[in-house]
Amino acid sequence: MYNDKIQELMNEISGIFDSVNNKQELENLKTEYLGKNGKITLLNQLIREIPAEEKKEFGMKVNEIRTKFNDEYSKVASMIEEKEINEKLNSEAIDVSLPGTKIPVGTAHPIERIIESLETLLMSMGYDVVEGPEVEKDLYNFELLNLPKGHPARDAQDTFYIKGEEWLLRSQTSPVQARCMLEHEGKDPIRIICPGKTYRRDEDDATHSHQFTQMEGLLVDKGITLGDLKGTFEEIAKMLFGKSRETRFRPSFYPFTEPSVEMDISCFNCNSKGCHICKGTGWITVGGAGMVNPIVLKNCGYDPEKWNGFAFGFGIERLAMLKYGINDIRTFYINHDIRTLEQFDRREY
Ligand code: DAH
């Protein structure tokens, strides 16, 4: 009788896993056979009623069924697991032929690019980068730089005054020269550059803006010559506009330098043959400079008998317009088309 039951169950479990498709069905079967009231569990409990001499054999048979069930169970369980992993892999597969997500990358503004390249070069020549205030005193912007009140050269820098005549928006970065010399109290050699914003009461047009950017340079030491200035300018010109650029000085006038010069480079567009960029002259003016006027040295606490030096000033927008072929200064400030900036890829610094 027990043998019949055992045989029945043995027959029942062979093949029951064939129709199992997922984990849930598999677990249901486990409960059905091995759970608290499972068929194999209940069969095992019959052992109590079995005569002693048959117990051993009965126990072995039930174990056989359980082992068979468990073996089948593990086999099917790992098959189902594998199947599920494969399904997951297939549904999550990456299509490498699809275009990737575009990650927007910023680019440096052309003004910033010119400033950074000048800073890199001049720092390698021992210059420090310093800053000065944009709201400045007339004293630093003009007076100490040998531009006393009523001086005709003030006319060239139509200025925004703030409440009276003492404070103004600096019309040039040159006041930083005075601040720096005063800070050093006539004692140390100085080598500084100062990039920054400057302001003039100009009507905005293609080449003028009420706010623009300059970079000042000042070197004070002993026994400095115009040749040192020329050499420095030559390095700057070649770095910005290419190794084959030639440079020249033209006489000029600035109250804070004596002598004063205009700094020209040979035209990079036509190689000095004459074109619309150099207006047929073969040369392009890129900045002003000169030997620091002894009056300025004295005003700022340096003994002109012992010290001398040179100063220079560049209009950064002008350099950027020349270098990148931009023909309207307002392009730098208006934000209407991001492509203006996007064309300046960081990599071609
Ligand atoms: N500050 C002058 C200007 O805005 C530019 C300049 C010329 C600066 C000669 C200098 C210099 O330091 O020596 O027009």
Side-chain angles (χ1 to χ4, degrees):
M1 178 189 148
Y2 302 117
N3 280 341
D4 288 351
K5 280 206 171 228
I6 287 170
Q7 196 51 52
E8 221 174 88
L9 203 53
M10 197 57 132
N11 292 344
E12 192 177 322
I13 65 166
S14 51
I16 50 162
F17 287 99
D18 291 355
S19 58
V20 169
N21 280 318
N22 55 45
K23 267 193 185 143
Q24 189 54 53
E25 286 172 15
L26 189 66
E27 286 318 300
N28 290 345
L29 274 186
K30 193 169 185 175
T31 317
E32 190 182 338
Y33 285 86
L34 290 175
K36 214 159 140 226
N37 294 311
K39 290 180 182 170
I40 299 174
T41 316
L42 293 179
L43 183 69
N44 195 37
Q45 281 168 10
L46 290 181
I47 203 160
R48 278 181 252 127
E49 304 162 15
I50 289 177
E53 66 276 13
E54 287 175 36
K55 271 191 202 302
K56 192 177 168 200
E57 176 151 6
F58 180 82
M60 273 166 57
K61 290 248 159 82
V62 175
N63 265 344
E64 211 178 295
I65 296 180
R66 192 188 282 118
T67 310
K68 189 172 156 124
F69 184 92
N70 280 336
D71 287 353
E72 284 291 306
Y73 174 91
S74 328
K75 222 194 285 170
V76 176
S78 58
M79 267 160 57
I80 289 177
E81 189 152 350
E82 198 176 317
K83 195 175 111 198
E84 286 182 356
I85 289 174
N86 281 336
E87 275 169 11
K88 207 165 173 203
L89 280 177
N90 284 335
S91 67
E92 290 177 0
I94 298 168
D95 183 349
V96 289
S97 66
L98 281 174
T101 316
K102 197 174 174 201
I103 300 166
V105 177
T107 56
H109 191 281
I111 299 292
E112 210 48 49
R113 294 164 71 94
I114 298 284
I115 291 176
E116 275 182 27
S117 56
L118 282 166
E119 284 179 354
T120 306
L121 174 71
L122 284 146
M123 277 160 64
S124 78
M125 295 161 97
Y127 286 75
D128 286 330
V129 180
V130 299
E131 283 187 347
E134 288 169 37
V135 177
E136 184 53 285
K137 281 193 153 177
D138 184 279
L139 175 72
Y140 297 103
N141 196 75
F142 290 131
E143 295 273 340
L144 292 170
L145 299 177
N146 196 28
L147 277 140
K149 291 200 169 58
H151 193 291
R154 283 195 181 205
D155 289 353
Q157 303 193 9
D158 216 354
T159 310
F160 291 110
Y161 281 91
I162 296 167
K163 280 196 200 158
E165 293 188 359
E166 193 185 353
W167 292 93
L168 45 78
L169 294 183
R170 68 178 176 192
S171 59
Q172 47 186 355
T173 43
S174 307
V176 183
Q177 290 189 32
R179 287 181 168 274
C180 199
M181 282 189 266
L182 287 168
E183 204 174 293
H184 285 273
E185 297 174 335
K187 289 192 216 121
D188 319 307
I190 293 173
R191 244 185 257 189
I192 52 124
I193 46 171
C194 169
K197 295 191 186 82
T198 46
Y199 305 83
R200 289 187 198 176
R201 272 190 53 209
D202 278 333
E203 287 286 331
D204 292 358
D205 63 22
T207 52
H208 296 87
S209 167
H210 59 279
Q211 179 197 306
F212 55 106
T213 321
Q214 287 192 337
M215 196 181 84
E216 196 76 15
L218 172 69
L219 184 143
V220 177
D221 211 319
K222 290 174 178 161
I224 302 300
T225 69
L226 205 59
D228 297 316
L229 173 61
K230 185 89 191 309
T232 306
F233 173 50
E234 210 153 304
E235 290 299 319
I236 293 172
K238 288 182 172 17
M239 181 275 292
L240 283 175
F241 295 102
K243 290 255 177 291
S244 54
R245 291 286 59 75
E246 283 175 32
T247 60
R248 75 172 187 190
F249 282 165
R250 266 184 310 116
S252 183
F253 173 79
Y254 295 100
F256 30 86
T257 43
E258 182 59 38
S260 302
V261 297
E262 297 294 313
M263 300 184 286
D264 292 354
I265 57 167
S266 57
C267 183
F268 52 82
N269 191 49
C270 63
N271 248 332
S272 296
K273 285 187 198 72
C275 69
H276 69 287
I277 290 181
C278 60
K279 302 202 176 78
T281 65
W283 295 91
I284 302 170
T285 304
V286 292
M291 300 305 288
V292 182
N293 192 323
I295 298 170
V296 174
L297 285 170
K298 203 155 151 248
N299 286 349
C300 299
Y302 273 76
D303 180 354
E305 297 295 327
K306 292 190 190 144
W307 300 90
N308 75 341
F310 61 72
F312 55 84
F314 291 103
I316 302 297
E317 280 82 350
R318 178 160 169 75
L319 296 179
M321 286 167 82
L322 288 167
K323 187 169 168 75
Y324 301 122
I326 295 168
N327 54 19
D328 192 324
I329 195 169
R330 291 166 293 195
T331 317
F332 294 128
Y333 314 118
I334 51 181
N335 272 330
H336 70 191
D337 193 340
I338 194 72
R339 287 175 302 177
T340 312
L341 296 178
E342 278 172 351
Q343 62 188 319
F344 296 100
D345 192 305
R346 276 179 178 275
R347 279 167 300 178
E348 23 147 314
Y349 253 110

